Amino acid sequence: MAIRLDYQSSDFESRFAAFLTTKREVSEDVNATVRAIIDDVRARGDKALADYSRKFDGLDFATTSMRVSLEEIDAAFDAVDPKIIAALELAAQRIEKHHARQKPKDDIYEDDIGVGLGSRWTAIDAVGLYVPGGTASYPSSVLMNAVPAKVAGVPRVVMVVPAREGAINPAVLAAARIAGVDEIYRIGGAQAVAALAYGTETIAPVAKITGPGNAFVAAAKRQVFGTVGIDMIAGPSEVLVIADGDNDPDWLAADLLAQAEHDAGAQSILVTDSVALADAVEAAVERQLKTLERAETAAASWRDFGAVILVPDLKKSIPLANRIAAEHLEIATADPDALMAEIRNAGAIFVGRHTPEVIGDYVGGSNHVLPTARSARFSSGLSVLDYMKRTSILRLGAEQLRALGPAAITLAEAEGLGAHARSVAIRLNLEG
Amino acid sequence: MAIRLDYQSSDFESRFAAFLTTKREVSEDVNATVRAIIDDVRARGDKALADYSRKFDGLDFATTSMRVSLEEIDAAFDAVDPKIIAALELAAQRIEKHHARQKPKDDIYEDDIGVGLGSRWTAIDAVGLYVPGGTASYPSSVLMNAVPAKVAGVPRVVMVVPAREGAINPAVLAAARIAGVDEIYRIGGAQAVAALAYGTETIAPVAKITGPGNAFVAAAKRQVFGTVGIDMIAGPSEVLVIADGDNDPDWLAADLLAQAEHDAGAQSILVTDSVALADAVEAAVERQLKTLERAETAAASWRDFGAVILVPDLKKSIPLANRIAAEHLEIATADPDALMAEIRNAGAIFVGRHTPEVIGDYVGGSNHVLPTARSARFSSGLSVLDYMKRTSILRLGAEQLRALGPAAITLAEAEGLGAHARSVAIRLNLEG
């Protein structure tokens, strides 16, 4: 049973504030272990990878190659149900089409005094994509990371995925083929992150690593950050549903449970102005839990972190939603646009009763890698920009340097930087 | 004396590779100290700030207010040399004009089957700007951080700056006024970062913190990351100058020293196809060092990390430049565009003999906060985008849900996520 908060009760603000800061994740401190693994991979390269894969995945690289061959990938693709292949291809096409619109344009121009200025975008040379093994090995996540990288123009996309006893989810390999991943290695954990960051005899290093992983992978990504770029470290997933009384409670209950089934630390929140709907949704959640495969996880999430917030008027949900800054926000009301216009903080907004968040997980075309744990206040979902970087360009002739140089000298001198001042002055024959 | 590498010598590749991985920074481990300070500020708020400011800055908040008043800011503005004010205003105008072009446009559209998709950009609600005290208290850095935040539309820009015995560099306060900073507090160190991230009685929390700082500030930013956003943690500065033989060696020496004077860990590199120029620049560096105020710092940087690389042909400099991925790249050749077209990795490029990097530090209009330590391989300089975030939008009607829903159900089932499948199926009357 989720907690229930009533906007009109006298202790609402203090209870809501406490709710906002509830920690939903216990992060194991695995830093020392991870540090040792990274150092070992840097020192011993492939040999270290072989040892860790033998130990953790029961894999012998003497008999199974570290790199997944084209033949294996094609065989996996052929082994996957054609219905799933078709769904992956539809998803990939839609993701590609949407993300192509995110590709930034260079902006090179001359200003009114003839100074050349510019922003030039280039793709990152090589990117590593971490894919977890086991039940969290999602083909949809392969598409969500690899397709934007390819749209960005990254020439080399490298995937790593742990293979317990050699086995990789065939749908993951099929998704990699569809997305155009260039190299796949059956390695995982901190050792795979280290290999991507520093390279080994077999694996050339990449410049950025993205994709989800367990505590070891997250710690490894933090530790190699600086040597390579990384994406955000995602926390447990969350959904906020703003709903009026005219919703089918079963639809909303299914949406809340879709989030809750991800992880016991996931969070599902319903905000409504209808007590009757709140009651009906809570009853529907309990009913649906009975027939859910992942009922245990979903029930724990709903019990520990779920919430139903009653507001006297849906307009009151706006400041609450902006403070919650949910990863996913569903607006299931008669006039969703009115509310949406006022939302500033949300990873993604799903507009109207026929847009369950799950569409965005798979086939909507937008990216499902979104800011969690209130970080939508300051960050954005994964996009093509995450696989590119901008070089700024400045170009002056003698005339422009005469126009701007004196002010630069003034500021350099004010900051006590004599060589800075000289570097301009010497070109203007003011010194030298 | 900088090291000299010759592309044509047999050990070039190994020496260049070693040069690339040379560490230029010793990072003190101040994590435990910083953790204690942050916890204290979270627990005791203003009282903790008062204690640390008394201890570290010799400041008493019983007699000096924590917040810098409008009157003080105006008095500082009036006390600064009008020539410096004019230079700051010119710089601010040029920065504003250039950064206004970076402001992203929303992209809301319907695709061919009527699915509504979109990217909506909003400014971050509140941003904190850290400004170091002492000699590293640069008014130009205030402009480079605050102006893009204001261009982004951030309604609340808060500046913190430590004030030893109460004193703040008047030019820093003047720059803050010119840039439109909304609140200024005379606090610094890890305690200031904690106050910005968690808030105190006096200071409301912000959602993102940017700006440079010492080891304590950098560690504090890393520790509060997640609760708030942070910008990159910058390392020592660097410049790479690619030059043909037709340059004035004194101009290039001044440019190399302008980087070197920042920090003993800074790095200045000259790549040229002319031995004569290499010799002349090295001699000019030694000569200019004699009359440089910050000669000690610059000499240490040039001695320990400076390099002169001889190439048989300037085209050979391209792959080297892409591996170095310099924060600043000057191209001082007869045809700089030919080289520039091939450069993929650089924070900023300064094109032609009349564009010393220093112009970009102050009045070029582009941002001087750029990726250091080879991180231009995967990241970009500070821009308006760093002060905004993108919300993605998805909108389906019943018809679009019928079109896309089945593929989403297929993928949810393939991933073993039953509630995901149900959330779509129940709306299509396929289950429920």
Side-chain angles (χ1 to χ4, degrees):
Chain A
M1 199 58 172
I3 61 160
R4 195 180 275 215
L5 303 176
D6 186 340
Y7 191 91
Q8 292 179 289
S9 73
S10 61
D11 62 352
F12 176 78
E13 175 53 34
S14 66
R15 290 187 70 198
F16 182 72
F19 170 76
L20 271 189
T21 54
T22 305
K23 260 188 97 108
R24 294 185 281 127
E25 219 183 356
V26 185
S27 47
E28 266 179 278
D29 186 0
V30 296
N31 277 316
T33 311
V34 164
R35 168 58 53 210
I37 292 173
I38 292 173
D39 288 346
D40 193 22
V41 171
R42 288 186 72 176
R44 297 197 302 130
D46 281 350
K47 287 202 180 69
L49 291 180
D51 288 349
Y52 291 115
S53 295
R54 191 176 304 112
K55 183 173 164 188
F56 296 129
D57 300 330
L59 257 180
D60 184 355
F61 286 149
T63 55
T64 308
S65 78
M66 193 190 310
R67 180 155 178 182
V68 180
S69 70
L70 276 182
E71 293 69 30
E72 284 175 273
I73 297 165
D74 290 345
F77 187 94
D78 294 339
V80 174
D81 181 345
K83 202 174 139 193
I84 296 175
I85 295 289
L88 287 172
E89 283 173 341
L90 173 68
Q93 282 156 19
R94 293 189 55 85
I95 296 164
E96 183 177 349
K97 216 162 178 177
H98 177 65
H99 285 71
R101 299 176 71 110
Q102 295 174 346
K103 212 167 165 179
K105 283 187 184 53
D106 291 350
D107 181 32
I108 315 279
Y109 65 99
E110 254 186 33
D111 73 7
D112 50 1
I113 62 164
V115 174
L117 286 137
S119 296
R120 190 174 70 177
W121 291 87
T122 44
I124 294 175
D125 287 336
V127 164
L129 162 55
Y130 191 94
V131 178
T135 52
S137 196
Y138 294 140
S140 60
S141 293
V142 174
L143 299 183
M144 293 292 176
N145 281 272
V147 172
K150 280 296 169 188
V151 169
V154 175
R156 180 172 166 254
V157 176
V158 183
M159 185 172 115
V160 294
V161 51
R164 201 58 52 85
E165 313 290 348
I168 299 174
N169 177 353
V172 160
L173 294 181
R177 183 174 116 170
I178 290 166
V181 169
D182 300 283
E183 300 166 24
I184 306 176
Y185 299 95
R186 60 184 110 239
I187 53 172
Q191 62 272 21
V193 174
L196 289 171
Y198 294 102
T200 69
E201 299 87 332
T202 301
I203 306 174
V206 302
K208 185 165 183 171
I209 302 173
T210 71
N214 64 17
F216 290 87
V217 172
K221 281 169 67 179
R222 282 185 201 275
Q223 288 188 20
V224 300
F225 177 57
T227 299
V228 296
I230 62 169
D231 60 348
M232 67 187 100
I233 306 279
S237 197
E238 66 237 358
V239 70
L240 168 61
V241 180
I242 300 178
D244 60 23
D246 291 335
N247 279 282
D248 183 328
D250 270 310
W251 292 16
L252 302 188
D255 297 356
L256 296 170
L257 287 171
Q259 242 12 256
E261 76 174 337
H262 270 297
D263 190 293
Q267 182 164 60
S268 304
I269 307 169
L270 172 68
V271 177
T272 181
D273 58 353
S274 161
V275 181
L277 183 89
D279 293 343
V281 170
E282 289 200 304
V285 164
E286 299 305 326
R287 207 163 50 234
Q288 290 185 23
L289 270 171
K290 286 179 188 139
T291 57
L292 201 61
E293 206 183 329
R294 297 170 65 93
E296 202 181 331
T297 302
S301 157
W302 181 243
R303 179 191 66 224
D304 295 340
F305 303 114
V308 174
I309 302 177
L310 290 170
V311 288
D313 174 333
L314 285 178
K315 277 187 194 147
K316 294 279 194 284
S317 69
I318 295 165
L320 303 183
N322 281 328
R323 287 169 70 186
I324 292 170
E327 182 189 14
H328 307 106
L329 170 63
E330 287 186 10
I331 308 181
T333 62
D335 181 11
D337 292 282
L339 289 177
M340 184 165 75
E342 305 293 321
I343 297 294
R344 295 177 57 84
N345 300 331
I349 303 178
F350 303 86
V351 188
R353 308 188 204 283
H354 288 90
T355 317
E357 181 275 325
V358 168
I359 292 296
D361 284 343
Y362 295 116
V363 291
S366 50
N367 207 291
H368 80 195
V369 182
L370 294 165
T372 60
R374 304 187 62 218
S375 63
R377 291 172 299 127
F378 53 80
S379 63
S380 313
L382 195 68
S383 82
V384 167
L385 296 185
D386 293 299
Y387 296 104
M388 304 186 78
K389 63 265 181 337
R390 202 185 65 253
T391 296
S392 81
I393 294 167
L394 197 60
R395 179 198 304 258
L396 277 69
E399 190 186 334
Q400 289 75 37
L401 189 64
R402 274 194 302 276
L404 296 181
I409 294 170
T410 297
L411 292 174
E413 286 172 347
E415 294 187 351
L417 296 172
H420 279 63
R422 182 186 281 159
S423 151
V424 177
I426 203 170
R427 286 172 164 88
L428 299 176
N429 285 317
L430 300 174
E431 189 197 302
Chain B
M1 201 59 173
I3 62 162
R4 196 181 275 215
L5 303 176
D6 186 340
Y7 191 91
Q8 292 178 288
S9 73
S10 61
D11 62 352
F12 176 77
E13 174 54 33
S14 66
R15 288 188 70 197
F16 182 71
F19 171 74
L20 271 189
T21 54
T22 306
K23 260 188 98 106
R24 293 184 283 127
E25 218 184 358
V26 185
S27 46
E28 267 180 278
D29 186 0
V30 296
N31 278 316
T33 311
V34 164
R35 167 59 51 210
I37 292 173
I38 292 174
D39 289 346
D40 193 22
V41 172
R42 286 186 73 176
R44 297 198 301 130
D46 281 349
K47 285 203 181 67
L49 292 181
D51 288 349
Y52 291 114
S53 294
R54 191 176 305 112
K55 184 172 163 189
F56 296 129
D57 300 330
L59 256 181
D60 183 355
F61 286 150
T63 54
T64 308
S65 79
M66 192 189 311
R67 181 156 178 180
V68 180
S69 69
L70 277 180
E71 293 70 30
E72 283 175 274
I73 298 164
D74 290 344
F77 186 94
D78 294 339
V80 174
D81 182 345
K83 201 173 139 195
I84 296 176
I85 295 289
L88 287 172
E89 282 174 341
L90 173 68
Q93 282 156 18
R94 293 190 55 85
I95 296 164
E96 184 177 349
K97 215 162 179 179
H98 176 66
H99 286 71
R101 300 175 69 110
Q102 296 175 343
K103 212 168 164 179
K105 282 187 183 54
D106 291 349
D107 181 31
I108 315 279
Y109 65 98
E110 255 186 31
D111 73 7
D112 49 1
I113 62 164
V115 174
L117 287 137
S119 296
R120 191 174 69 179
W121 291 87
T122 45
I124 294 175
D125 288 337
V127 165
L129 162 55
Y130 192 93
V131 178
T135 53
S137 197
Y138 294 139
S140 60
S141 293
V142 174
L143 299 182
M144 293 292 177
N145 280 272
V147 172
K150 280 296 170 187
V151 169
V154 175
R156 180 171 166 254
V157 176
V158 183
M159 185 173 115
V160 293
V161 51
R164 203 58 52 86
E165 312 290 346
I168 300 174
N169 177 354
V172 160
L173 293 180
R177 183 175 115 170
I178 290 167
V181 169
D182 300 284
E183 301 166 25
I184 306 176
Y185 299 94
R186 60 183 109 239
I187 52 172
Q191 60 273 22
V193 174
L196 289 171
Y198 293 103
T200 69
E201 299 87 331
T202 301
I203 305 174
V206 302
K208 185 164 183 172
I209 301 173
T210 71
N214 63 16
F216 289 88
V217 171
K221 280 169 68 179
R222 281 185 202 273
Q223 289 188 20
V224 300
F225 176 56
T227 297
V228 296
I230 61 169
D231 59 349
M232 68 188 99
I233 307 278
S237 199
E238 68 237 356
V239 71
L240 168 62
V241 180
I242 300 178
D244 60 24
D246 290 336
N247 280 282
D248 183 328
D250 269 311
W251 293 17
L252 302 187
D255 297 357
L256 297 170
L257 287 172
Q259 249 3 261
E261 76 174 336
H262 270 298
D263 189 295
Q267 182 164 61
S268 304
I269 307 169
L270 172 68
V271 178
T272 182
D273 58 353
S274 160
V275 180
L277 182 88
D279 293 344
V281 170
E282 290 199 304
V285 164
E286 299 305 326
R287 206 164 51 237
Q288 290 186 22
L289 270 172
K290 287 180 189 140
T291 56
L292 202 59
E293 207 183 330
R294 297 169 65 93
E296 203 182 329
T297 302
S301 157
W302 180 243
R303 178 191 68 223
D304 296 339
F305 304 114
V308 174
I309 303 177
L310 290 170
V311 288
D313 173 334
L314 285 178
K315 277 187 194 149
K316 295 277 194 282
S317 68
I318 294 166
L320 304 183
N322 282 327
R323 287 169 70 186
I324 292 170
E327 182 190 11
H328 307 106
L329 169 63
E330 288 187 9
I331 307 182
T333 62
D335 181 11
D337 291 281
L339 289 177
M340 183 165 77
E342 305 293 320
I343 296 295
R344 296 177 56 84
N345 300 331
I349 303 177
F350 302 86
V351 188
R353 310 188 203 283
H354 288 89
T355 316
E357 181 275 325
V358 168
I359 292 295
D361 285 341
Y362 295 116
V363 292
S366 49
N367 208 290
H368 80 196
V369 181
L370 294 165
T372 59
R374 304 187 64 217
S375 62
R377 291 172 300 126
F378 54 80
S379 63
S380 312
L382 195 69
S383 82
V384 167
L385 297 184
D386 292 298
Y387 296 104
M388 305 185 76
K389 63 265 183 335
R390 202 185 66 254
T391 296
S392 80
I393 294 167
L394 198 60
R395 180 198 303 258
L396 278 69
E399 190 187 334
Q400 289 75 36
L401 190 63
R402 273 194 303 275
L404 296 182
I409 295 170
T410 296
L411 292 174
E413 285 171 348
E415 294 187 351
L417 296 173
H420 279 63
R422 182 186 281 160
S423 151
V424 177
I426 203 170
R427 285 172 164 88
L428 298 175
N429 285 317
L430 300 174
E431 189 198 301

